[in-house]
Amino acid sequence: MENFRINTIEEYNQAYKKSVEQPEAFWGDIAENFLWYKKWDKVVDWSFKDYNVKWFDGASLNITENCIDRHLASKAKDIAFIWESNFEDKPNRVITYQQLHNEVCKTANALKYLGVKKGDRVCIYLPMIPEAVYSMLACARIGAIHSIVFAGFSATSLSDRIQDSDCKIVITSDGSYRGDKSINLKNVVDEALETCASVQHVLVYEHTKIKINFNNDKDIWWHELVPLQEAICEPEKMKSEDVLFILYTSGSTGKPKGVVHACGGYMVYTAYTFTNVFQYNEGDIYWCTADVGWVTGHSYITYGPLLCGATSVIFEGVPTYPDAGRFWKIIDKHKVTHFYTAPTAIRALEALGLDFVSPYKLNSLKVLGSVGEPINEEAWHWYNKNIGKEKCPIVDTWWQTETGGILISPLAGITKLKPSYATLPLPGIQPILVDDKGNEIKGNHVEGNLCIKYPWPSIIRTTYGDHERCKQTYFSTYHNLYFTGDGCKRDQNGYYRITGRVDDVMNISGHRIGTAEVESAINMHVDVVESAVVGYPHDIKGQGIYAYVIAPSTTKDHAILIKEIIAEVNKIIGPIAKPDKIQIVSGLPKTRSGKIMRRILRKVAEGDVNNLGDISTLLDPNVVEEIKNGRVK
Ligand code: 7RM
């Protein structure tokens, strides 16, 4: 691994230069550090015009052999994962690399027994327990494609995702814990499966021992199948471009799309970025607080750290249970050196006060990380001072589900930091800012739409079952560029600061949610005729959800209607998409051609009612007055 470790800013500059001038030589050298059954014929082959990209084409590999088997000679007894339960008095589970190997092989053999073959899709709907990681790796071991659905999504969302990729198996548990709440996950799966004909079996891990419905035709207990399997499973030889996983993510239109990642490039890029961004060293203890249901959990809980032979903490619970000191308590308990979390968690804990921080030493920490949304300066300083004790570099890592790995970030201890800046592109990443017409904005101290002009190994390959949608969404807005959907500043030193989405995608507590998705859920309510949803600045969540709803014929009290609408969104998407504010209106500000003027709705939601700009193109300016007067504060 150390063959691609960057140690100084000079080395970074050299690596960056080489990655731009000779990308194939650059990535080819890095890829030499992995186990391949067969090496590639060509490092990269690509076109952004008619989107198509291939990394390490002609090569074959298995990512789990790189994550597990190749470490066994030297690290069989080293710890891969320390699992910390939702309940602080419950014992930890400690999993060595050898145990991880055995569990993954058994799970892989269980999947084979259930008829899963290379290329089949397996849906994983599990809480944050080691079995979630075993399940992902078991799929990868046999060449099945995992599609993890965050266990906070509703039955409708789960069903949509299972159907979109025709999953053959669902892996779930009886229940899950989140703080003092216990949730019956199996019920959600049962409800989802009423509309999923493709699913042949449900593998159920017994976790909370909650009472569940058990359907003997379909359901199989994990403990009655997995432990009986052999602890050896030959890894399937995968082509570099074979699909590793699908992960659904929200966009500005329609239903969430299945982002597809491929085996070879994803492996090379997640390992390269994990090593260099975090500067992880042997003996360190790394903890990423994400859920495996999000891309951060895929790349920086499972694949990146394991590829580098790291020791990681996996945490089942929430930051505020039993109290708001839980994160800090876990850091002291396990002597965590690298801590990677989201700004929304930092802000929430900051708001609860330093009394929850001061009991803890936090002196094991070396590196702090941030991901998921822009980190505001205030939160950055609080994190730096009270958690890092002004001794730990903060890596503000910018990336996306579609990018597979971190694209813009400081290298811990190497890159000079600037609060709220993701700083510099990693080697191999060529950012470009463009104006709305697609003209390049050159020079420094500028702002524009963030695009990338050259592919990197873990770039999205397609959107599952709909390549056209992939081309449309990412490669058609600006000619010959990958468009991120983010706005971005570049300062006088060439440092990048991501300012947030420039499309109709919201970022609620680090969760990506499309306005269109929430609108369509609201519109499912019988009394609702139309709705428009916008994000607005929220102190803790980064953004909150503000919904304008037209329900002309309702006789219900508005307070009741609002409760019902919230319940509807909860049912159709899940609790993360619940509107914070709902305003019942008689009309929406529309242009003569019928387009909703979201700019006005955003301004009102922000409270900037005297600054609405030009409203002369509105069909009916009176609705603006009504909306302003009825604004929900
Ligand atoms: C990793 C992840 C992607 C969107 C992205 C941005 C925002 C993520 C940062 C950030 C500012 C950051 N994947 N975003 N990281 N904005 N600074 N460090 O979050 O697909 O779920 O979301 O998140 O808007 O486009 S994601």
Side-chain angles (χ1 to χ4, degrees):
M1 271 305 154
E2 293 307 310
N3 282 345
F4 53 68
R5 170 76 61 118
I6 294 168
N7 298 294
T8 61
I9 196 74
E10 292 74 28
E11 284 179 18
Y12 162 78
N13 289 328
Q14 276 166 18
Y16 191 80
K17 188 163 182 281
K18 180 167 179 191
S19 77
V20 173
E21 289 171 356
Q22 300 167 267
E24 298 205 41
F26 176 79
W27 287 114
D29 283 352
I30 292 167
E32 291 291 345
N33 291 276
F34 299 83
L35 290 179
W36 303 84
Y37 303 118
K38 180 176 173 291
K39 295 276 173 72
W40 47 95
D41 302 320
K42 183 141 179 44
V43 171
V44 61
D45 214 348
W46 67 286
S47 156
F48 279 176
K49 279 196 205 112
D50 196 28
Y51 182 56
N52 176 24
V53 68
K54 289 192 174 99
W55 280 91
F56 311 112
D57 199 28
S60 63
L61 75 147
N62 187 290
I63 195 168
T64 70
E65 195 174 19
N66 284 274
C67 284
I68 311 171
D69 304 53
R70 72 151 166 182
H71 301 312
L72 292 181
S74 61
K75 308 179 137 258
K77 294 192 174 127
D78 287 8
I79 295 166
F81 292 111
I82 304 164
W83 178 75
E84 171 82 22
S85 157
N86 179 64
F87 303 105
E88 54 182 357
D89 47 6
K90 214 159 136 182
N92 298 125
R93 291 170 63 186
V94 175
I95 299 121
T96 64
Y97 272 89
Q98 183 65 56
Q99 286 166 336
L100 179 65
H101 171 271
N102 297 356
E103 295 305 323
V104 169
C105 286
K106 287 182 189 179
T107 312
N109 286 326
L111 291 178
K112 279 190 180 170
Y113 173 86
L114 294 175
V116 179
K117 302 217 156 51
K118 182 173 181 172
D120 286 346
R121 275 78 58 210
V122 173
C123 175
I124 301 175
Y125 188 72
L126 281 170
M128 283 294 289
I129 52 178
E131 286 68 22
V133 175
Y134 304 161
S135 299
M136 300 169 82
L137 294 169
C139 290
R141 188 80 171 176
I142 64 172
I145 298 167
H146 57 73
S147 168
I148 308 188
V149 177
F150 172 60
F153 277 119
S154 69
T156 312
S157 293
L158 175 61
S159 165
D160 283 349
R161 286 158 173 77
I162 291 172
Q163 289 181 53
D164 187 74
S165 49
D166 273 324
C167 294
K168 200 168 180 179
I169 303 277
V170 178
I171 308 179
T172 190
S173 65
D174 50 355
S176 71
Y177 300 117
R178 282 186 71 74
D180 56 11
K181 285 203 270 303
S182 162
I183 298 143
N184 191 322
L185 285 188
K186 178 61 166 48
N187 272 352
V188 182
V189 173
D190 289 345
E191 194 188 327
L193 293 195
E194 286 170 16
T195 46
C196 300
S198 63
V199 175
Q200 296 172 1
H201 293 291
V202 182
L203 183 57
V204 190
Y205 183 78
E206 186 176 50
H207 181 53
T208 62
K209 301 204 158 67
I210 197 171
K211 205 170 143 29
I212 60 164
N213 294 318
F214 204 80
N215 170 353
N216 285 316
D217 296 337
K218 254 189 194 171
D219 301 345
I220 296 132
W221 283 112
W222 178 291
H223 60 260
E224 288 180 2
L225 180 65
V226 178
L228 312 184
Q229 305 298 313
E230 264 202 274
I232 294 174
C233 174
E234 275 306 305
E236 188 73 33
K237 289 192 170 60
M238 304 297 288
K239 292 193 195 112
S240 181
E241 280 299 319
D242 279 344
V243 176
L244 175 62
F245 67 82
I246 303 167
L247 180 57
Y248 286 84
T249 195
S250 298
S252 53
T253 55
K255 286 190 174 172
K257 43 191 177 290
V259 172
V260 171
H261 283 290
C263 296
Y266 181 84
M267 170 176 77
V268 170
Y269 197 76
T270 52
Y272 180 74
T273 51
F274 177 76
T275 294
N276 285 308
V277 169
F278 295 102
Q279 295 287 314
Y280 178 92
N281 284 300
E282 188 92 40
D284 286 342
I285 311 282
Y286 165 88
W287 177 22
C288 166
T289 68
D291 189 287
V292 289
W294 309 110
V295 74
T296 306
H298 285 63
S299 303
Y300 300 109
I301 291 179
T302 300
Y303 291 109
L306 290 178
L307 286 163
C308 300
T311 299
S312 303
V313 172
I314 299 188
F315 176 44
E316 180 189 17
V318 296
T320 48
Y321 181 80
D323 65 47
R326 188 70 191 275
F327 273 2
W328 324 129
K329 191 169 197 170
I330 294 173
I331 290 173
D332 276 6
K333 178 175 174 192
H334 298 297
K335 309 228 167 353
V336 170
T337 55
H338 291 63
F339 179 66
Y340 189 29
T341 197
T344 189
I346 299 166
R347 289 189 299 260
L349 297 174
E350 175 183 358
L352 295 169
L354 284 173
D355 286 352
F356 291 104
V357 183
S358 50
Y360 305 103
K361 292 201 188 72
L362 303 176
N363 57 356
S364 55
L365 287 171
K366 296 184 197 168
V367 175
L368 300 177
S370 172
V371 61
E373 45 174 327
I375 178 163
N376 48 308
E377 279 192 54
E378 147 98 77
W380 195 99
H381 287 295
W382 186 88
Y383 197 28
N384 183 45
K385 182 165 173 235
N386 299 296
I387 307 305
K389 315 288 181 197
E390 286 167 348
K391 286 186 308 213
C392 302
I394 298 177
V395 289
D396 176 1
T397 64
W398 173 81
W399 59 296
Q400 309 178 295
T401 306
E402 295 86 343
T403 70
I406 299 166
L407 298 198
I408 304 182
S409 171
L411 307 182
I414 294 170
T415 312
K416 191 170 179 300
L417 304 177
K418 178 170 177 180
S420 80
Y421 278 73
T423 75
L424 297 171
L426 298 188
I429 306 307
Q430 301 185 34
I432 166 172
L433 301 183
V434 298
D435 65 19
D436 287 337
K437 295 200 184 72
N439 302 311
E440 176 167 6
I441 303 171
K442 293 204 173 113
N444 286 341
H445 204 59
V446 291
E447 182 166 4
N449 300 310
L450 178 61
C451 297
I452 316 284
K453 61 181 172 194
Y454 194 89
W456 59 97
S458 63
I459 187 173
I460 179 175
R461 296 310 197 267
T462 190
T463 47
Y464 192 80
D466 193 351
H467 194 59
E468 204 44 47
R469 190 169 179 201
C470 173
K471 282 199 246 180
Q472 271 299 323
T473 310
Y474 308 105
F475 300 97
S476 72
T477 316
Y478 301 113
H479 180 69
N480 238 343
L481 299 173
Y482 166 80
F483 177 43
T484 66
D486 281 323
C488 182
K489 288 182 176 164
R490 186 166 53 218
D491 79 358
Q492 54 283 1
N493 300 315
Y495 270 30
Y496 291 88
R497 175 189 186 146
I498 315 304
T499 52
R501 302 288 305 196
V502 294
D503 54 8
D504 289 321
V505 173
M506 300 175 290
N507 193 325
I508 316 298
S509 299
H511 301 314
R512 229 172 113 165
I513 301 166
T515 55
E517 260 178 283
V518 181
E519 287 163 6
S520 90
I522 292 174
N523 297 350
M524 296 296 278
H525 188 287
V526 284
D527 293 340
V528 175
V529 171
E530 197 183 4
S531 63
V533 163
V534 296
Y536 70 93
H538 186 288
D539 284 349
I540 306 285
K541 303 206 236 180
Q543 275 189 311
I545 302 181
Y546 194 117
Y548 299 88
V549 175
I550 308 179
S553 53
T554 189
T555 51
K556 283 174 196 150
D557 186 72
H558 281 185
I560 292 173
L561 179 63
I562 286 168
K563 271 204 184 126
E564 288 178 3
I565 290 170
I566 291 173
E568 192 75 43
V569 176
N570 201 18
K571 190 178 123 222
I572 293 178
I573 307 176
I576 57 174
K578 284 193 287 201
D580 298 273
K581 297 179 181 180
I582 296 178
Q583 183 178 352
I584 310 294
V585 295
S586 64
L588 292 166
K590 288 189 180 173
T591 62
R592 272 171 253 275
S593 60
K595 274 195 88 165
I596 296 173
M597 289 185 80
R598 288 174 179 280
R599 176 175 56 82
I600 292 173
L601 297 177
R602 273 190 218 109
K603 287 270 184 196
V604 173
E606 279 167 23
D608 195 4
V609 290
N610 298 320
N611 239 324
L612 299 182
D614 181 13
I615 55 167
S616 61
T617 56
L618 277 181
L619 189 60
D620 176 11
N622 291 330
V623 298
V624 175
E625 278 312 303
E626 181 205 326
I627 283 175
K628 272 162 66 171
N629 294 333
R631 183 175 100 86
V632 183
K633 295 204 177 76

